[in-house]
Amino acid sequence: MSKSFVVRVGAVVAVAMLSLAGCAPAPEAPAAGGGGEQFCARMVTNSGGLDDRSFNDASWKGMQDAADQFDIDVDVLVSTSETDLAPNVQQAVDTGCGFVLTVGYELTPATIEQAAAHPDVDFAIVDDVADAPNIKPLVFDTAQAAFLSGYLAAGVSTTGKVATFGGGNQPPVTLFMDGFVDGVAQYNKVHGTAVVALGWDKQTQDGVFTGDFEDINKGLTVTQGLIDQGADVILPVAGQVGEGAARAALDSGGRASIIWVDTDGYDVLAAEFRPVLLTSVLKNTGDAVVTIVKSSIDGDFNNSPYIGTLENGGVDIAPFHDLAGRVTPELSAEIDALRADIISGAVTVTSPSTPR
């Protein structure tokens, strides 16, 4: 039997287990928003759950920030399996809230279905594009930032091998991987080196995948294999599975480091992993969510996709934190110049999965 959870904003965050035999109870009716007007917003996670240290976490942080800034009521319905997805979107709509945020491509069919049935509700979806008048896509050109991370990885590698792997062969995942391997290639072009990127072939759009985004042990096993092949910097694009990659890097005794994705791993991962965290490829999902919620409150909502780029601050790489000593001033300056060249158009980062 599948399970669904509802997390409430308040002095204490409570998690209530709801059975989905039939239709589970919906969250409470909307609370009064700022200025005495009634406005509430709901979010539905993908099957990775809320504490994914990735885009669900970041999206929920944006919803919480919107609650604080605009004095509105926000709730999140947490999916723990694929069978939760459609019922949770239905429950979110049944609250009567004016705004519903869904996170991840898994929720696209349910989002489209509910948006068609409820044209007066504003919907937004993270990491996928849904063509409907009342759905706003929030997508991120993570290849741009991953390009920087690949250049960085090649620049700090001592073995001449780096690697990436994904949770599934899906555009939001492979977009990171395309950018990463192209960044490695750019470093080789500039420096006349031959650093090899394991785990992904951009030309064939195929590579190493764990098949899910939750099983940490799979991340551990895959990363151990890549380290055994000589990779000393690994980019896991696999949600919670990436924690297994961090464990493998830590267990390697200094032989490898990792690059996190979506959020700054230095802040969201356990402190024990900080010594192996080189940087993170960031998606500034939270700020985008705040902006879209405000547009719904103000009546300015539209369905034009929000595309996060290096230029608008929607994507970037995180500081090097504890491993800053491994990044020479010259390499850091090259990365800064490369960022500026991508923004200006002097360097173009391409991928079949580039959002448009």
Side-chain angles (χ1 to χ4, degrees):
M1 183 177 296
S2 62
K3 293 172 286 184
S4 174
F5 296 85
V6 179
V7 180
R8 306 252 177 236
V9 171
V12 178
V13 177
V15 181
M17 184 178 296
L18 305 174
S19 170
L20 282 178
C23 187
E28 295 174 2
E37 297 180 0
Q38 294 236 336
F39 188 93
C40 65
R42 297 291 184 260
M43 172 179 140
V44 180
T45 76
N46 76 346
S47 59
L50 186 60
D51 190 22
D52 64 348
R53 302 174 181 87
S54 188
F55 66 173
N56 285 312
D57 258 348
S59 299
W60 177 233
K61 177 63 164 56
M63 293 284 280
Q64 291 175 306
D65 287 345
D68 291 340
Q69 292 182 36
F70 311 130
D71 190 23
I72 62 172
D73 173 71
V74 301
D75 279 0
V76 58
L77 292 96
V78 181
S79 310
T80 59
S81 72
E82 291 186 7
T83 57
D84 294 339
L85 301 174
N88 278 348
V89 179
Q90 178 71 65
Q91 289 182 57
V93 171
D94 287 346
T95 63
C97 289
F99 178 86
V100 175
L101 174 70
T102 58
V103 184
Y105 81 97
E106 289 178 304
L107 285 152
T108 304
T111 304
I112 292 173
E113 179 182 3
Q114 291 298 328
H118 302 277
D120 56 334
V121 176
D122 295 335
F123 291 81
I125 185 166
V126 176
D127 267 3
D128 203 5
V129 175
D131 186 14
N134 57 330
I135 302 177
K136 188 174 188 75
L138 277 65
V139 290
F140 300 83
D141 193 353
T142 51
Q144 293 187 349
F147 192 97
L148 301 181
S149 77
Y151 194 98
L152 168 68
V156 303
S157 176
T158 59
T159 64
K161 292 182 180 180
V162 298
T164 183
F165 70 89
N169 195 334
Q170 303 143 9
V173 173
T174 59
L175 186 61
F176 282 92
M177 300 167 81
D178 283 340
F180 181 79
V181 299
D182 280 352
V184 174
Q186 179 74 7
Y187 183 88
N188 287 336
K189 177 181 177 181
V190 170
H191 291 273
T193 50
V195 179
V196 176
L198 304 174
W200 181 242
D201 186 324
K202 182 182 178 183
Q203 184 173 356
T204 64
Q205 289 288 291
D206 196 17
V208 176
F209 297 95
T210 60
D212 74 275
F213 296 83
E214 293 88 41
D215 192 334
I216 292 173
N217 287 330
K218 289 182 180 178
L220 175 66
T221 301
V222 167
T223 304
Q224 285 174 335
L226 293 169
I227 293 172
D228 289 344
Q229 293 178 63
D232 59 354
V233 183
I234 297 100
L235 170 75
V237 192
Q240 293 175 339
V241 171
E243 187 174 329
R247 173 59 62 189
L250 190 64
D251 291 348
S252 74
R255 292 166 54 201
S257 59
I258 68 159
I259 297 173
W260 197 248
V261 297
D262 289 345
T263 57
D264 191 343
Y266 196 86
D267 296 330
V268 300
L269 290 171
E272 66 175 318
F273 297 125
R274 289 177 176 176
V276 298
L277 186 69
L278 179 60
T279 187
S280 301
V281 180
L282 304 174
K283 293 193 302 191
N284 197 356
T285 309
D287 285 353
V289 169
V290 171
T291 299
I292 305 311
V293 171
K294 185 176 189 303
S295 74
S296 183
I297 295 171
D298 293 343
D300 298 327
F301 183 89
N302 64 72
N303 69 342
S304 299
Y306 165 85
I307 302 176
T309 64
L310 287 174
E311 183 174 14
N312 64 22
V315 300
D316 209 331
I317 59 173
F320 311 130
H321 298 298
D322 294 354
L323 296 187
R326 293 184 55 190
V327 184
T328 66
E330 293 78 13
L331 179 57
S332 182
E334 288 179 36
I335 291 169
D336 288 341
L338 188 57
R339 180 189 292 104
D341 284 345
I342 294 172
I343 291 173
S344 72
V347 172
T348 303
V349 181
T350 63
S351 166
S353 302
T354 297
R356 293 174 175 84

